Amino acid sequence: QSVLTQPPSVSAAPGQKVTISCSGGISNIGNNHVHWFQQLPGTAPKLLIRDTSKRPSGIPDRFSGSKSGTSATLVITGLRTGDEADYYCAAWDNSLSSGVFGGGTKLTVL
Amino acid sequence: EVQLVQSGAEVKKPGESLKISCKGSGYSFTNFWIGWVRQMPGKGLEWMGIIYPSDSDTRYSPSFQGQVSISVDKSISTAYLQWTSLKASDIGMYYCTRGRDQVEFDYWGQGTLITVSS
């Protein structure tokens, strides 16, 4: 059972928009930045969104992040088949004094 | 170019010890955290712990505290993850990562696959 809760899977058609939620609590998302990672099949994860809403260099603006209270959201627009991957949120947890990941969300582009 | 190069796959027996490595290059090794992340087969990412090479400040997830040890040799820009007695449940892919902070992991190693079987 992950400290951060994500839907196990989401799906949408090419060109459409998808949102992936990440629900936590006061000790993690509520008081700390959220980071998002993309893991393509068979590869190491990659940083997709840092500090809740910032895109690292090279990440297209189709990917965006936001936060409200104790929940964070990753939005992907203009979906491509190459976006099929597992997506993870992560944050520092002040109560655990540890980082925590969400359980991951598998994106299928139909 | 920033690179994290991990040691190769390991096949071990329960009860054996193991130390895997992660060598950083292309950046100032002592100025960034090194994190370790586990991924069991078909499962998600788990934050294990981190170390700051400059002063060896180390933090562990409660789930991994006492189960593994994280260390660093900054003279050779290398971090380590160590077990004294492996269990069958330690199987998985282990990634080292470079951290701008304790969770913002901007570069990842290629992973080290650990198999534990009698």
Side-chain angles (χ1 to χ4, degrees):
Chain A
Q1 201 82 338
S2 303
V3 172
L4 304 181
T5 301
Q6 298 181 234
S9 63
V10 295
S11 62
Q16 296 301 302
K17 179 177 87 171
V18 71
T19 62
I20 298 174
S21 61
C22 175
S23 178
I26 289 288
S27 62
N28 41 69
I29 294 177
N31 278 285
N32 294 298
H33 283 302
V34 179
H35 312 287
W36 290 90
F37 299 88
Q38 177 193 59
Q39 187 176 31
L40 296 168
T43 70
K46 179 173 81 172
L47 182 64
L48 197 64
I49 296 289
R50 53 178 282 262
D51 290 352
T52 302
S53 59
K54 299 175 183 175
R55 283 185 305 277
S57 174
I59 302 299
D61 60 7
R62 300 188 299 107
F63 297 90
S64 63
S66 63
K67 181 177 86 166
S68 178
T70 58
S71 291
T73 301
L74 173 70
V75 177
I76 310 172
T77 60
L79 277 172
R80 304 175 180 181
T81 55
D83 295 331
E84 285 201 334
D86 293 320
Y87 292 84
Y88 296 89
C89 58
W92 183 257
D93 190 291
N94 297 332
S95 295
L96 296 173
S97 294
S98 166
V100 288
F101 281 100
T105 298
K106 182 176 182 63
L107 168 63
T108 300
V109 181
L110 302 167
Chain B
E1 178 195 6
V2 174
Q3 282 193 310
L4 295 172
V5 178
Q6 298 184 227
S7 48
E10 301 273 1
V11 180
K12 307 292 281 186
K13 290 182 167 52
E16 292 187 328
S17 63
L18 176 63
K19 191 174 189 177
I20 63 174
S21 66
C22 168
K23 183 173 176 60
S25 63
Y27 72 99
S28 178
F29 186 74
T30 55
N31 288 353
F32 293 84
W33 294 87
I34 291 287
W36 288 95
V37 175
R38 182 174 79 173
Q39 187 166 39
M40 299 182 74
K43 302 298 184 182
L45 305 176
E46 298 176 87
W47 193 99
M48 298 179 69
I50 49 169
I51 189 165
Y52 196 69
S54 178
D55 59 6
S56 293
D57 180 12
T58 309
R59 322 282 177 86
Y60 293 94
S61 162
S63 299
F64 291 93
Q65 179 83 48
Q67 308 305 308
V68 297
S69 295
I70 295 171
S71 60
V72 68
D73 184 340
K74 58 186 180 182
S75 71
I76 55 171
S77 300
T78 300
Y80 302 95
L81 180 64
Q82 184 173 8
W83 293 259
T84 56
S85 181
L86 284 162
K87 307 180 187 67
S89 57
D90 290 318
I91 60 167
M93 184 71 83
Y94 290 81
Y95 293 102
C96 71
T97 73
R98 189 185 85 160
R100 294 166 63 94
D101 63 24
Q102 294 92 333
V103 188
E104 187 186 332
F105 296 141
D106 60 353
Y107 286 90
W108 293 65
Q110 82 276 20
T112 296
L113 182 64
I114 295 175
T115 301
V116 183
S117 175
S118 54

